[in-house]
């Protein structure tokens, strides 16, 4: 199995790239979706976050007010680290279960869409690593336009993440999303060709097909040994 790491920064266009992968029949495990699930009312993640940040972060229906929680953690690095630490075990478990489901289905290539791929040290489990990059000015303007937020708030949210230039320097493949949608589509087309290439031997043995092949080989070997004996 080939596990491709996909990451970027806020308003870099990572989600658009992720959707393009899905549209081309590449299964994607989305850490953002898992993070929302582990924070739903009554879950273990919800209980830990409410205990740490108080009931003031809750909506009238008891769900976490993500906007309010975001304002708190994006402006305070210690609280951001606290939140990440509380939810990391739940998110990691959720990602593992989704990968396992796809492995059981026999998927040969999957994409892990993880905003904190490097920060969570998950880059060591993925190859290749794809980073969606934009220049700082473009990122700032897109974020302000998307969320209709002030420049100060937008900068705080951008600065709360690992700089995109550092992620780019650690990438195997870089998608430059400063251009048009057509430019992006063309780059994604090339990336799809790269990640869909035949599996190498290591990736094959890690796939379901490889595991079954190994199992069959062992069974056949045992039967031959018994007959010889």
């Amino acid at each position: 199995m080939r596990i491709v790491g996909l990451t970027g920064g806020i308003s870099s266009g990572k989600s658009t790239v992720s959707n393009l992968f899905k549209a081309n029949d590449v299964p994607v495990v989305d850490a953002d979706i898992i993070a929302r699930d582990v924070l739903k009312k009554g879950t273990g993640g919800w209980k830990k976050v409410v205990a740490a940040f108080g009931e003031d972060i809750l909506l009238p229906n008891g769900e976490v007010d993500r906007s309010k929680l975001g304002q708190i953690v994006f402006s305070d690095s210690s609280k951001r680290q606290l939140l990440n630490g509380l939810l990391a075990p739940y998110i990691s478990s959720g990602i593992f279960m989704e990968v396992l489901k796809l492995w059981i289905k026999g998927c040969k290539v999957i994409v892990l869409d993880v905003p904190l791929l490097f920060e969570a040290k998950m880059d060591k489990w993925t190859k290749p690593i794809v980073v969606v990059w934009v220049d700082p000015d473009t990122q700032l303007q897109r974020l302000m336009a998307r969320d209709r937020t002030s420049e100060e708030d937008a900068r705080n949210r951008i600065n709360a993440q690992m700089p995109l230039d550092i992620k780019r320097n650690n990438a195997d493949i870089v998608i430059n999303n400063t251009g048009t949608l057509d430019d992006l589509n063309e780059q994604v087309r090339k990336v799809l060709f790269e990640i869909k290439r035949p599996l190498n031997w290591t990736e094959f043995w890690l796939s379901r097909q490889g595991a079954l092949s190994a199992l069959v080989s062992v069974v056949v070997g045992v039967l031959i040994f018994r007959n010889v004996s």
Side-chain angles (χ1 to χ4, degrees):
M1 174 183 274
R2 176 175 297 136
I3 303 179
V4 180
L6 174 65
T7 191
I10 190 169
S11 289
S12 67
K14 177 183 63 63
S15 295
T16 301
V17 172
S18 182
N19 288 331
L20 289 172
F21 282 146
K22 294 174 187 176
N24 284 276
D25 299 320
V26 177
V28 175
V29 176
D30 191 330
D32 280 340
I33 293 177
I34 293 172
R36 286 196 289 270
D37 288 341
V38 303
L39 202 53
K40 286 183 177 179
K41 182 181 178 180
T43 62
W46 179 89
K47 292 176 182 177
K48 286 186 176 294
V49 169
V50 173
F53 290 89
E55 295 186 0
D56 288 342
I57 63 168
L58 298 179
L59 294 166
N61 64 2
E63 295 289 352
V64 171
D65 186 333
R66 298 177 187 278
S67 178
K68 191 170 186 178
L69 181 60
Q71 290 177 352
I72 293 172
V73 300
F74 280 123
S75 61
D76 188 324
S77 60
S78 63
K79 291 181 179 179
R80 185 167 62 253
Q81 291 174 0
L82 172 61
L83 178 65
N84 289 338
L86 292 173
L87 295 182
Y90 298 98
I91 295 174
S92 297
S93 296
I95 290 174
F96 174 79
M97 291 305 300
E98 292 302 314
V99 170
L100 180 60
K101 290 176 185 177
L102 293 171
W103 184 87
I104 292 172
K105 289 181 179 180
C107 296
K108 295 180 179 179
V109 178
I110 67 170
V111 172
L112 289 191
D113 178 352
V114 185
L116 302 180
L117 185 75
F118 293 108
E119 296 90 330
K121 310 298 182 186
M122 297 187 69
D123 54 303
K124 65 182 69 175
W125 306 111
T126 60
K127 189 73 174 181
I129 296 171
V130 180
V131 170
V132 184
W133 179 89
V134 291
D135 65 81
D137 288 338
T138 300
Q139 184 182 24
L140 178 64
Q141 295 303 318
R142 285 179 179 175
L143 179 57
M144 291 171 62
R146 188 193 72 181
D147 293 355
R148 297 180 180 179
T149 187
S150 67
E151 180 175 338
E152 180 183 4
D153 183 56
R155 287 190 184 279
N156 284 338
R157 298 182 69 183
I158 291 172
N159 292 335
Q161 299 182 335
M162 178 184 289
L164 274 174
D165 284 345
I166 294 179
K167 293 186 178 183
R168 177 178 62 176
N169 292 338
N170 287 281
D172 298 302
I173 301 172
V174 177
I175 295 177
N176 186 333
N177 191 27
T178 57
T180 65
L181 185 57
D182 287 339
D183 293 333
L184 180 63
N185 280 318
E186 177 61 21
Q187 291 182 78
V188 171
R189 184 186 66 79
K190 293 178 180 178
V191 173
L192 284 167
F193 178 80
E194 176 67 18
I195 67 175
K196 286 185 174 182
R197 73 187 190 281
L199 302 183
N200 59 40
W201 280 110
T202 300
E203 292 168 332
F204 173 73
W205 292 119
L206 290 174
S207 68
R208 188 190 70 172
Q209 292 85 349
L212 290 174
S213 298
L215 179 60
V216 169
S217 297
V218 170
V219 171
V220 171
V222 170
L223 292 176
I224 291 175
F225 177 78
R226 284 182 175 178
N227 289 333
V228 171
S229 301

